[in-house]
Amino acid sequence: MTEKSAEKPSPTTRKRKAKTDEAPAKRSRLRFALKWVARGLGAVVGFFAFLILLFAIVPPPINLYQMSESWRLGGIEKDWVSWEEIAPVMGRSAVAAEDANFCNHWGFDMAAIRQAIEEGSNRGASTISQQVVKNVFLWHGRSYVRKAMEAVLTPVVELVWSKERILEVYLNVAEFDEGVFGVQAAAQHYFGVDANDLSALQAARLAAVLPDPKGRSASKPTSFVRSRTRAIISGAETIAADGRSACFAG
């Protein structure tokens, strides 16, 4: 007689064993994926942290929006100037126009955000700090990804940069006319003067076009721009009087 052959495992047993072997493999793949996601996020965080520290000292180079406009238009006007080369009234005018509580918040104006929500609009809710983060580090356009990154980076910029530095960068990267970036280029473009020589009226005119630089003109103001200019001149005087310009006006 031949020896009795060993019993073969039943189909049920083989299926159970396959499932048991598959579970550790799935966990291993998940751990591997999470590890690389964490590394990727760490690299992104490190990259932006480096840029924030770097741009606290040196002028930011051309940004994504400026690059796209330069490509579209065949060139742009931009000329960086230091804070000392900008007329003090220009800083006050920009703050009065775009972010009157600039010195009193940490990057987000919660009162303005609540008011915007109640009115069903986002106009006026974006602070100068948020605009700097968008202009320097991110891209234009509406997306949840960009807004999330802006929300993360804005407090970091507020922590690392002084208010004066934030406003200096803002005035150097803001668009004042199609393809015209920065207060020095804008002062020359509209009025033929340097940023340091801007009058209160000229500074307010420049600030008045900031929300819509392609649709408004500082040299050929509409009745709306004239009205807004008057309001900005008054607002700049108000924040100088009540101390809301103290964080950058010395």
Side-chain angles (χ1 to χ4, degrees):
M1 294 179 63
T2 58
E3 293 183 2
K4 188 177 180 181
S5 59
E7 290 186 7
K8 292 183 179 180
S10 67
T12 303
T13 304
R14 287 197 301 268
K15 189 174 182 181
R16 188 181 300 117
K17 186 176 185 301
K19 286 185 176 180
T20 303
D21 293 340
E22 187 179 349
K26 285 185 176 179
R27 287 195 295 269
S28 178
R29 288 195 294 269
L30 179 60
R31 285 195 297 268
F32 180 81
L34 290 175
K35 180 175 70 174
W36 280 102
V37 168
R39 287 181 178 179
L41 289 175
V44 170
V45 170
F47 173 71
F48 280 114
F50 169 75
L51 290 182
I52 289 171
L53 290 171
L54 178 65
F55 295 158
I57 303 170
V58 304
I62 189 169
N63 57 49
L64 292 175
Y65 178 66
Q66 291 172 347
M67 288 175 62
S68 68
E69 286 297 275
S70 180
W71 176 267
R72 184 178 69 87
L73 300 171
I76 59 174
E77 298 176 49
K78 64 189 291 284
D79 187 7
W80 181 278
V81 286
S82 67
W83 179 251
E84 291 72 25
E85 298 174 282
I86 301 173
V89 70
M90 185 68 238
R92 293 195 298 272
S93 296
V95 170
E98 291 292 286
D99 187 3
N101 293 316
F102 176 65
C103 287
N104 299 330
H105 63 65
W106 47 275
F108 303 99
D109 189 340
M110 302 311 295
I113 291 173
R114 284 192 295 269
Q115 181 179 352
I117 292 172
E118 291 171 359
E119 295 175 354
S121 167
N122 64 358
R123 178 71 189 98
S126 182
T127 65
I128 284 176
S129 304
Q130 289 174 269
Q131 293 180 56
V132 165
V133 167
K134 178 186 70 177
N135 290 335
V136 174
F137 301 105
L138 304 174
W139 61 93
H140 287 213
R142 298 177 183 274
S143 77
Y144 289 114
V145 173
R146 184 188 67 75
K147 293 300 290 184
M149 293 179 69
E150 181 183 297
V152 171
L153 294 176
T154 297
V156 181
V157 168
E158 281 273 348
L159 181 65
V160 176
W161 296 6
S162 67
K163 288 285 190 177
E164 183 180 290
R165 178 61 173 175
I166 293 172
L167 191 54
E168 177 187 28
V169 173
Y170 174 74
L171 289 173
N172 274 286
V173 301
E175 185 178 25
F176 289 89
D177 195 2
E178 188 171 46
V180 179
F181 294 88
V183 64
Q184 173 64 15
Q188 287 286 335
H189 174 76
Y190 281 118
F191 308 118
V193 301
D194 290 327
N196 194 41
D197 297 321
L198 286 167
S199 67
L201 175 61
Q202 290 168 336
R205 285 272 181 87
L206 291 181
V209 306
L210 282 174
D212 184 16
K214 291 183 173 69
R216 302 176 187 176
S217 171
S219 59
K220 299 177 181 178
T222 61
S223 58
F224 174 82
V225 171
R226 291 180 185 276
S227 174
R228 181 166 168 77
T229 297
R230 291 192 294 270
I232 291 171
I233 291 174
S234 176
E237 293 172 350
T238 299
I239 65 171
D242 66 17
R244 281 181 292 164
S245 64
C247 67
F248 62 86

